[in-house]
Amino acid sequence: MIDTSTPMTRRRVLISAPRQIDLVEEAIPELAPDEALVSLRVAGVCGSDLHGLHGSHPTMKPPYYPGHEVVGVIEKLGAQVTGFAIGQLVTPEPTLPCGRCKMCRTDRSNICENLEFFGCGFREGGMADVFSVRASRLHVIPEGFDLRQAALIEPLSTPVHAVRLAGDLQGKAVVIIGCGTIGLLVLAAARANGARRIVMTDVLESKRAGALARGADAVVDAATPELAASVRSELGETADVVFDCVSIQPTINSAIEMVQRGGAVVIVGVPSKPVEVPAFILQDRQVRLQGSATYMSEDYAEAIRILASGAIDASTMITASFPLEETQEAFAAAESGDQIKVLVTGAGVVL
Ligand SMILES: [Zn+2]
Ligand SMILES: [Zn+2]
């Protein structure tokens, strides 16, 4: 007799070609002994998903299965998995390091030489009714977190890592270029790490207002002709650290101008095009240009701590949600510029 209570197939989102989002129906994957089967509760649409959809992301090229900002419930565990239980609410750390290379052996698994990335070109992604994932990458969502807070753990971990790489921010003057989702989360992470004064820039008035409402000390229109000078006057000094969450030629130029001397520019946004840097200025003024790639497990722990402290109002960060079958609409909303974080929800989830 066939057990009809257990579905044999799942729906999952496939970016099949540039600008083409399909919902395909296929068999539920067999679990490897070290994997968990997780059912989707919510999945965030990330800026990199939008780049991927347009074929402009450096590494995520269609066809691929999206969804790396995912929260779900453990449905099934592979034979060798220990330390987890069916029914737990979890979020995967989507980076899948090899565990063997020099980076993995020296505590830098986020830049593993053989890195695979769940939801970013890997055979599995989180925008699906159920998905399989290496259980060792799962983090249990603490009691008391709602789905909106849980959905921010992965997006916040990237800024937490960038802030950690910037060095001690205690008492420092900080600039954040870009008041989108990542910029706002850098704001929260920099504040949690003691930054004294934080000035943010964006070309959109509505985004600047959002940054002020969330605790930026001042905002400056990124289209201002003497941008670096305006930012400097709002800071009262040159910047110690500039976080570039946009990473295009004009923002890199102004970031280097803002730190002036002896400061650091942290590249947080994914550059979609090559950018030239003034090497002479970096050398002569002893400016540090620091790339920041994803996160490590300790950054997840710190992101959870910041969210648990109540420093971020998740209900104002998650501004729209769509069921899985309306993923196309979710991507369109995320692209409109009117939203902060857009979520795709699993079957039966009402936010
Ligand atoms: Zn992302
Ligand atoms: Zn590795």
Side-chain angles (χ1 to χ4, degrees):
M1 203 170 84
I2 296 165
D3 179 7
T4 51
S5 67
T6 311
M8 304 299 285
T9 61
R10 62 169 173 176
R11 301 167 305 157
R12 69 166 168 163
V13 175
L14 170 65
I15 309 290
S16 53
R19 294 171 178 275
Q20 182 64 44
I21 302 175
D22 295 326
L23 192 64
V24 295
E25 178 122 10
E26 51 183 55
I28 289 173
E30 291 288 325
L31 281 193
D34 63 345
E35 287 183 332
L37 189 72
V38 176
S39 63
L40 174 67
R41 288 300 174 269
V42 291
V45 180
C46 174
S48 58
D49 288 316
L50 301 177
H51 282 311
L53 176 63
H54 291 283
S56 59
H57 192 279
T59 56
M60 284 159 67
K61 301 281 182 203
Y64 79 96
Y65 298 98
H68 60 275
E69 304 178 359
V70 197
V71 178
V73 172
I74 296 177
E75 299 293 338
K76 203 171 152 186
L77 292 167
Q80 287 168 7
V81 178
T82 56
F84 291 98
I86 286 165
Q88 276 177 322
L89 189 65
V90 289
T91 184
E93 203 180 321
T95 43
L96 303 171
C98 75
R100 297 180 306 275
C101 74
K102 178 164 133 181
M103 296 304 131
C104 285
R105 285 185 281 109
T106 53
D107 207 21
R108 291 175 286 175
S109 61
N110 62 314
I111 45 172
C112 165
E113 291 169 14
N114 308 301
L115 192 67
E116 293 188 292
F117 209 120
F118 177 84
C120 302
F122 188 61
R123 63 182 153 79
E124 287 285 290
M127 290 184 187
D129 288 319
V130 292
F131 53 86
S132 62
V133 63
R134 208 188 291 169
S136 60
R137 305 310 289 163
L138 296 175
H139 294 252
V140 176
I141 308 291
E143 289 285 328
F145 268 50
D146 63 25
L147 287 176
R148 288 182 177 85
Q149 286 175 298
L152 291 180
I153 295 171
E154 190 278 350
L156 179 58
S157 296
T158 297
V160 162
H161 186 72
V163 162
R164 190 151 66 83
L165 292 179
D168 184 12
L169 289 188
Q170 199 68 42
K172 297 283 172 66
V174 169
V175 178
I176 301 167
I177 297 178
C179 301
T181 316
I182 289 289
L184 296 175
L185 294 173
V186 172
L187 169 64
R191 199 60 96 191
N193 280 273
R196 183 183 60 77
R197 189 156 174 86
I198 303 177
V199 175
M200 298 181 67
T201 71
D202 202 287
V203 288
L204 293 176
E205 209 283 320
S206 59
K207 300 254 179 195
R208 296 196 298 274
L212 273 182
R214 288 173 181 81
D217 294 306
V219 291
V220 176
D221 184 349
T224 305
E226 295 292 320
L227 179 60
S230 302
V231 166
R232 187 177 179 171
S233 96
E234 290 293 350
L235 272 181
E237 58 186 290
T238 58
D240 295 302
V241 180
V242 178
F243 294 95
D244 189 348
C245 305
V246 181
S247 306
I248 56 176
Q249 190 70 59
T251 62
I252 299 273
N253 290 349
S254 43
I256 292 170
E257 212 180 327
M258 287 169 197
V259 297
Q260 274 251 332
R261 283 159 202 277
V265 172
V266 185
I267 301 179
V268 190
V270 177
S272 54
K273 282 187 198 154
V275 166
E276 281 183 18
V277 295
F280 173 71
I281 293 179
L282 299 186
Q283 177 272 316
D284 187 59
R285 299 182 186 170
Q286 210 168 292
V287 169
R288 175 160 64 102
L289 192 57
Q290 171 74 59
S292 180
T294 65
Y295 28 65
M296 300 273 294
S297 288
E298 56 259 49
D299 300 312
Y300 258 59
E302 170 71 357
I304 289 171
R305 192 192 65 74
I306 293 172
L307 284 159
S309 77
I312 297 172
D313 182 354
S315 68
T316 70
M317 294 289 296
I318 309 295
T319 50
S321 66
F322 297 84
L324 187 64
E325 56 275 21
E326 292 174 20
T327 297
Q328 219 159 351
E329 286 80 352
F331 273 63
E335 215 159 14
S336 70
D338 303 333
Q339 306 294 340
I340 300 179
K341 178 58 73 183
V342 175
L343 300 183
V344 169
T345 56
V349 175
V350 179
L351 281 181

